Amino acid sequence: MKIVSRNEELLRDALSCIPQPSSRTSLASCNKLIRFEDICAAASKIQSGVQKTPCMYSRLSKQYGMDIYLKKEFLQYTGSVKERGVLYLLMSLPQEQQRKGVIVAADSSFSLAVAHQAAALRVPVLAVLPAGAAARRARLCRDYGAVLVWHGGTAREAQLHARRLARESGYLYLEEEDSAVYLSGLGTVGLEMYEQVPKLDAVVFPAGGHCGLLAGSAAALKHLNPHISVIGVESESFPVLQQSLKAGHPTEDQACNNHHFYGDVSGVCFGSNSLQLTGKLVDKVVAVREEDILISMLRLLEYERATVDAEGAIALAALLAGKLPELKGKRVAVVICSGNLELHLLQQCIARALTLDNRVCRFSLVISDCPEDMSKLLEILAREEARVLDIKQERTFVTSELFTVEVICTVETRDKMHTAQLRNALLERYPTTVWTER
């Protein structure tokens, strides 16, 4: 790759005076300066083991008034960008440690990436999972070649047991962290986007508790072109990165009520390296609502045929929700980093997103308990081209006059305008119609 500028001074300032972590038991490495050359070396070393994912022009561009390019990292073999950092991490281990093996804990995308990439390198992997681990991810870990050990009821208990096994067996305990090696692997995303999309104005990344992708890629992008705006996006429910930047150090874990929905992005795992790089190199960090993420997931499924999780959709959500108006008319790349959503959660998310998008609605009304009135109601719904998803009749607990029935109907419409048209038609015929607000 052609180097068009040099900004080692900027990176050196970002990572100066970083204390060595005392609580990490995994890699005894390497909180050293992350240089542009380190990221280039990682790109060269991992190119045969990970996908060079496409960065494609999005069909959403015209709708939102900017040229949007989607970096589809969810197309990696395990559905996550973390394969890049994991592969470089494993390849950087001494041969003796590679022969002994590594241990991971929890059913995260990081653990899946370790299991898959370690198998390719013939590194033994032991995965310690809690009783509540997702069955599909546990099965994938085993299929990739990891040996599974079940311990405890929480991720914390599994992690403590994994550390204990690592000390006793000589294995190396790996957890997602911000060592220079891991960040360099993740930073290869920035290199690829710069090469794939000429004249970029801005790049938007997922952030939150896992900002290694944001930090590593920012190091690459700002070296190549300091004028590219680098933006991170996290959830309003736990704006841990913004709070940490304000405090000047990583904040304590925050409770996340919907951790199954947010997955890996809900935890706090970044350290001083990631935080210092983010504070120095990232231009802006914004927060989005849970509703915005759901709409983003829906748009990606409809327009891009991309099935992603919250971490994968959160960066695009900032554009769709109007959180970055300064990017109108600009050329913007967005990283879609993960597609590891459980099937039952996908069904719930899409159903909820359709409701938020005013395309699934519910109403109730009271009619006489005779076939003719029900037939007239169905005729109105057919005339207005509303698709009936569910219809119920309540006779026993109706508080209106005798021989009436309360009809509760759920319908699907085309869009917000179609919903308003249906609502007006029903109110004209049935003035007492009650519309269930979302």
Side-chain angles (χ1 to χ4, degrees):
M1 174 177 290
K2 182 180 178 181
I3 300 175
V4 298
S5 66
R6 288 192 172 275
N7 287 305
E8 267 87 8
E9 294 81 4
L10 189 61
L11 299 184
R12 188 174 295 111
D13 291 343
L15 289 176
S16 60
C17 302
I18 297 174
Q20 294 288 337
S22 58
S23 60
R24 295 284 184 186
T25 60
S26 50
L27 285 177
S29 51
C30 58
N31 280 340
K32 66 181 182 65
L33 170 66
I34 174 175
R35 303 171 303 163
F36 180 73
E37 284 79 4
D38 296 328
I39 301 173
C40 290
S44 175
K45 205 165 184 181
I46 70 174
Q47 62 180 337
S48 62
V50 297
Q51 297 289 329
K52 184 175 182 179
T53 56
C55 193
M56 301 173 63
Y57 184 77
S58 173
R59 300 175 182 87
L60 292 163
S61 296
K62 293 181 180 179
Q63 185 176 345
Y64 291 94
M66 62 189 80
D67 290 332
I68 301 173
Y69 292 83
L70 301 180
K71 180 62 170 169
K72 299 185 176 181
E73 281 297 304
F74 67 93
L75 295 178
Q76 297 291 350
Y77 189 81
T78 63
S80 172
V81 68
K82 293 173 185 179
E83 281 192 41
R84 295 174 178 269
V86 163
L87 178 56
Y88 194 46
L89 197 61
L90 292 172
M91 295 178 79
S92 302
L93 295 178
Q95 289 189 356
E96 181 183 355
Q97 189 60 62
Q98 289 186 13
R99 287 194 298 270
K100 288 182 178 178
V102 296
I103 292 181
V104 292
D107 58 333
S108 61
S109 295
F110 178 80
S111 297
L112 288 177
V114 171
H116 168 60
Q117 293 294 351
L121 297 173
R122 297 187 177 180
V123 176
V125 179
L126 185 65
V128 182
L129 303 178
R136 185 186 70 89
R137 290 198 183 191
R139 184 174 64 251
L140 285 174
C141 268
R142 185 183 62 240
D143 291 346
Y144 293 153
V147 176
L148 302 188
V149 173
W150 298 89
H151 182 87
T154 65
R156 178 64 176 167
E157 291 174 348
Q159 289 166 1
L160 291 174
H161 187 63
R163 289 191 178 102
R164 185 164 56 250
L165 290 176
R167 288 193 299 268
E168 294 172 354
S169 65
Y171 274 49
L172 180 67
Y173 173 63
L174 292 182
E175 62 182 337
E176 192 168 4
E177 54 177 24
D178 70 340
S179 67
V181 176
Y182 185 64
L183 293 182
S184 296
L186 293 176
T188 59
V189 174
L191 290 181
E192 287 186 9
M193 285 190 294
Y194 185 84
E195 182 185 61
Q196 291 169 317
V197 186
K199 300 180 181 179
L200 270 176
D201 294 305
V203 182
V204 187
F205 292 90
H210 296 254
C211 64
L213 172 63
L214 170 65
S217 295
L221 289 165
K222 288 295 187 179
H223 177 97
L224 292 165
N225 184 355
H227 301 294
I228 293 177
S229 180
V230 179
I231 300 168
V233 184
E234 62 182 351
S235 171
E236 283 185 0
S237 301
F238 38 95
V240 63
L241 180 55
Q242 293 180 73
Q243 292 179 1
S244 298
L245 289 170
K246 187 178 295 185
H249 58 81
T251 59
E252 296 297 322
D253 292 18
Q254 292 188 356
C256 174
N257 294 329
N258 285 332
H259 62 92
H260 291 298
F261 170 64
Y262 287 105
D264 291 359
V265 80
S266 63
V268 179
C269 75
F270 58 79
S272 297
N273 279 11
S274 296
L275 190 62
Q276 293 281 357
L277 276 170
T278 300
K280 190 71 175 180
L281 303 178
V282 174
D283 298 279
K284 190 175 184 179
V285 178
V286 299
V288 294
R289 302 174 305 158
E290 191 170 287
E291 292 85 349
D292 301 328
I293 300 172
L294 288 168
I295 291 295
S296 178
M297 292 170 67
L298 180 63
R299 295 287 184 268
L300 284 167
L301 184 61
E302 287 189 303
Y303 286 83
E304 302 294 334
R305 300 300 182 262
T307 305
V308 303
D309 53 22
E311 188 177 6
I314 194 170
L316 182 64
L319 297 182
L320 307 190
K323 296 287 185 176
L324 299 168
E326 69 273 18
L327 298 184
K328 289 285 186 180
K330 301 291 182 66
R331 180 171 287 202
V332 184
V334 182
V335 181
I336 312 299
C337 67
S338 179
N340 287 321
L341 189 65
E342 298 298 316
L343 183 59
H344 70 281
L345 286 177
L346 174 64
Q347 293 172 322
Q348 294 179 44
C349 289
I350 297 305
R352 178 62 175 154
L354 287 169
T355 303
L356 292 169
D357 207 30
N358 293 290
R359 289 158 59 184
V360 171
C361 49
R362 177 177 294 175
F363 61 86
S364 63
L365 50 84
V366 177
I367 60 177
S368 64
D369 191 8
C370 64
E372 290 80 2
D373 274 14
M374 178 59 75
S375 178
K376 289 178 182 178
L377 171 61
L378 294 176
E379 285 177 7
I380 293 174
L381 296 177
R383 186 179 69 238
E384 298 298 329
E385 299 180 338
R387 179 170 173 250
V388 178
L389 300 179
D390 185 49
I391 189 165
K392 297 178 181 178
Q393 300 180 62
E394 177 59 58
R395 292 178 173 83
T396 307
F397 298 98
V398 177
T399 57
S400 57
E401 61 187 65
L402 202 59
F403 306 120
T404 58
V405 58
E406 181 183 17
V407 178
I408 304 168
C409 192
T410 303
V411 298
E412 182 179 1
T413 57
R414 290 188 297 273
D415 50 33
K416 188 175 183 179
M417 186 178 297
H418 188 200
T419 299
Q421 178 182 321
L422 173 63
R423 186 172 185 170
N424 291 334
L426 288 170
L427 286 171
E428 183 179 349
R429 178 67 176 81
Y430 308 101
T432 59
T433 300
V434 177
W435 208 265
T436 303
E437 299 295 336
R438 59 177 175 86

